Amino acid sequence: KKARIDKTTDRIPMYACQRSTPLQHHNKQFTDALEVLEEHALYRDDPNSEARALAFRRGSATLKSLPYKITHVGQLKNLPYIDSTNSSKAGHCKKIITEILEEGFSDEVEGVTNSEFFKSMKIFCGIFGVGPSTARKWFYDLNLRTLEDIKTKKLTLTKDQTLGLRYHEDLNKPLLLEEANHIAKLVRETCTALRSGCTVTVVGGFRRGKDKGHDLDLIISHPIEGNEEGMLAMVLEKLDEHFIYTEKKASNTKRQTSLESRSTMDHFEKCFSIFKYRHEGSAKQSQSNILHLEGTWAAKRVDLIVVPKSQFAFAVLGWTGTKHFEREIRRYVRSEKKLVLTSHGMYTLDTNESISADSEEEIFEKLGLNFLPPSERCC
Ligand code: 8DG
Ligand code: MN
Ligand code: MN
């Protein structure tokens, strides 16, 4: 056997849930490029686009987990989803990285970034309530290109799209950690006042240690099973004046079967909302000069999820993300453990028998995985 170029490379595990991926990593130049191609693939509507998107994300996720910067092509050897003799998709990642190493940029990535399709799709999909299929319709069927086009054309919009346009500027500014903590505190205080013992847990990007995000994700629960019931309606009513919009999803208590587990959708009672965030000091300002009141709040996205205690650990794991981490741990569990993992629980693949756990640590342990704290799930 030939001497290995870099001993660390053949120790990179296949699944992202088997390795640490910190928020700050050494290969941003490459991962940004691969994620442009991932995003572009997700905007497209051909039968292979989902698989293409996944291949770019897997390549990117491998690079994010490396404890060093890639500086020459030889270091790509044996990297999962980048160097593979039997995968043309891995080859595509390798080609892009090689181009960047040699030229400083990738023609393909530059071409995509500057394409009219990509630019318009990015704008359209950046509107709350708009996904790729609506955006494609606007681009291809109606020949729309800019945000101005969307605003001036008399389009039939859903309620959330209308609000997405109305609060577009606010919602496209990042939600800052300080603001998130402020909203979490208000929701927590309101919940505990309504029912003593209630817990409000920050999940999503902020739990992974990000200092800004596109929304705040909060799980409402209670240490006594059943005591979480009714909390969503109560807290929304109590905080009514703080919300601009609430889109409630009823819970579906029917046990998820193995067949449904492919979908990342869960059955919790939840609410996707737009929160009216009042900036610090706005109360004082409004007293001294009522005219200033308008400028003192901003629309912010908040997700609230209500979870019974017996499913709490699974829901926290499922909502902490990233989306790719969730996909990877579920794929690992199914392929390597013959189990099904969802935000509700863990089940045997053949008999659909439930396996309980009270903490994320216990879930990792029962899955034969080393525990990864949320800050190491940034794939
Ligand atoms: P960001 O908001 O900071 O930008 O990033 P994020 O917190 O990682 O993304 P997110 O879109 O808020 O999603 C957080 C996690 O929630 C994600 O890993 C998947 C999980 N999740 C579910 N069900 C659902 C659902 O119905 N919609 C969304 N958007 N996320 C869901 O388990
Ligand atoms: Mn989030
Ligand atoms: Mn969210």
Side-chain angles (χ1 to χ4, degrees):
K1 251 189 166 176
K2 271 195 200 164
R4 281 156 187 157
I5 293 166
D6 186 336
K7 283 204 165 195
T8 56
T9 56
D10 53 3
R11 273 192 252 121
I12 310 287
M14 290 292 283
Y15 297 93
C17 58
Q18 295 173 303
R19 54 188 198 229
S20 168
T21 311
L23 187 56
Q24 303 296 336
H25 61 88
H26 307 275
N27 293 288
K28 196 164 156 36
Q29 191 190 9
F30 309 109
T31 59
D32 282 352
L34 293 176
E35 285 175 25
V36 164
L37 299 183
E38 178 202 21
E39 190 179 344
H40 181 246
L42 290 172
Y43 290 157
R44 303 257 317 241
D45 183 30
D46 52 65
N48 286 325
S49 53
E50 214 182 305
R52 274 174 57 86
L54 187 55
F56 290 127
R57 170 59 69 157
R58 284 183 180 156
S60 169
T62 298
L63 294 181
K64 287 181 182 175
S65 73
L66 298 178
Y68 51 86
K69 184 174 157 60
I70 295 284
T71 55
H72 56 275
V73 181
Q75 291 169 302
L76 302 178
K77 192 164 169 52
N78 293 336
L79 291 186
Y81 304 106
I82 293 170
D83 182 42
S84 163
T85 42
N86 55 12
S87 163
S88 62
K89 286 187 189 116
H92 200 156
C93 288
K94 193 174 181 174
K95 175 177 159 272
I96 301 295
I97 300 162
T98 305
E99 271 182 5
I100 296 172
L101 282 170
E102 289 171 356
E103 312 289 332
F105 66 96
S106 151
D107 270 335
E108 184 179 351
V109 175
E110 295 304 306
V112 164
T113 309
N114 296 320
S115 71
E116 201 166 39
F117 174 75
F118 185 79
K119 287 193 283 191
S120 294
M121 288 296 284
K122 206 174 172 67
I123 294 166
F124 298 166
C125 291
I127 303 167
F128 174 59
V130 179
S133 71
T134 303
R136 272 194 304 268
K137 210 171 64 194
W138 290 349
F139 184 86
Y140 286 120
D141 302 350
L142 304 175
N143 264 310
L144 305 172
R145 295 292 178 268
T146 65
L147 191 64
E148 271 314 297
D149 291 348
I150 305 297
K151 283 179 172 168
T152 48
K153 188 100 179 175
K154 296 261 173 292
L155 294 164
T156 317
L157 299 173
T158 62
K159 181 82 204 270
D160 35 350
Q161 290 165 354
T162 305
L163 292 163
L165 276 181
R166 185 176 308 156
Y167 300 110
H168 184 265
E169 206 187 315
D170 280 358
L171 296 179
N172 279 275
K173 275 189 208 131
L175 171 61
L176 305 178
L177 178 60
E178 191 198 339
E179 298 165 339
N181 284 337
H182 202 90
I183 301 169
K185 184 165 174 272
L186 174 69
V187 174
R188 188 173 296 120
E189 282 168 0
T190 308
C191 284
T192 50
L194 284 164
R195 195 166 288 170
S196 131
C198 248
T199 62
V200 174
T201 306
V202 174
V203 287
F206 288 111
R207 184 158 184 265
R208 299 194 305 275
K210 285 173 65 177
D211 59 7
K212 48 181 169 309
H214 99 284
D215 71 353
L216 170 63
D217 305 284
L218 294 174
I219 290 183
I220 300 171
S221 191
H222 194 284
I224 300 165
E225 182 93 5
N227 274 14
E228 79 291 346
E229 273 173 41
M231 280 308 299
L232 189 61
M234 276 159 61
V235 72
L236 290 179
E237 196 198 311
K238 203 78 181 174
L239 293 176
D240 185 51
E241 54 166 332
H242 292 270
F243 286 99
I244 296 160
Y245 172 66
T246 54
E247 185 182 326
K248 273 172 263 168
K249 309 273 180 204
S251 74
N252 177 349
T253 47
K254 133 177 111 69
R255 168 87 164 270
Q256 225 178 359
T257 68
S258 311
L259 274 177
E260 289 167 294
S261 68
R262 280 179 64 88
S263 146
T264 52
M265 293 296 288
D266 58 50
H267 305 293
F268 293 118
E269 183 181 18
K270 54 180 167 288
C271 172
F272 304 128
S273 77
I274 300 175
F275 185 89
K276 190 168 182 171
Y277 183 80
R278 291 172 172 86
H279 292 288
E280 288 293 338
S282 62
K284 258 179 264 155
Q285 269 180 37
S286 67
Q287 273 167 16
S288 60
N289 186 349
I290 199 93
L291 293 174
H292 283 169
L293 189 63
E294 273 303 290
T296 61
W297 64 270
K300 302 286 173 189
R301 281 270 298 107
V302 176
D303 290 341
L304 301 171
I305 309 103
V306 179
V307 173
K309 186 191 188 310
S310 59
Q311 299 172 23
F312 180 74
F314 295 98
V316 168
L317 177 60
W319 279 82
T320 296
T322 61
K323 285 193 179 76
H324 186 59
F325 180 84
E326 303 302 335
R327 196 159 50 200
E328 286 285 284
I329 192 168
R330 287 167 198 215
R331 185 168 70 100
Y332 163 87
V333 168
R334 180 178 275 265
S335 307
E336 308 298 326
K337 297 287 147 182
K338 307 297 169 212
L339 298 173
V340 175
L341 177 71
T342 74
S343 291
H344 296 274
M346 190 154 61
Y347 314 93
T348 56
L349 194 55
D350 45 3
T351 55
N352 207 23
E353 201 177 316
S354 175
I355 300 166
S356 70
D358 287 326
S359 66
E360 284 188 317
E361 284 85 347
E362 191 181 341
I363 300 173
F364 277 77
E365 198 194 313
K366 285 186 169 168
L367 293 174
L369 289 167
N370 289 327
F371 181 67
L372 286 179
S375 62
E376 294 178 28
R377 302 176 199 164
C378 304
C379 49

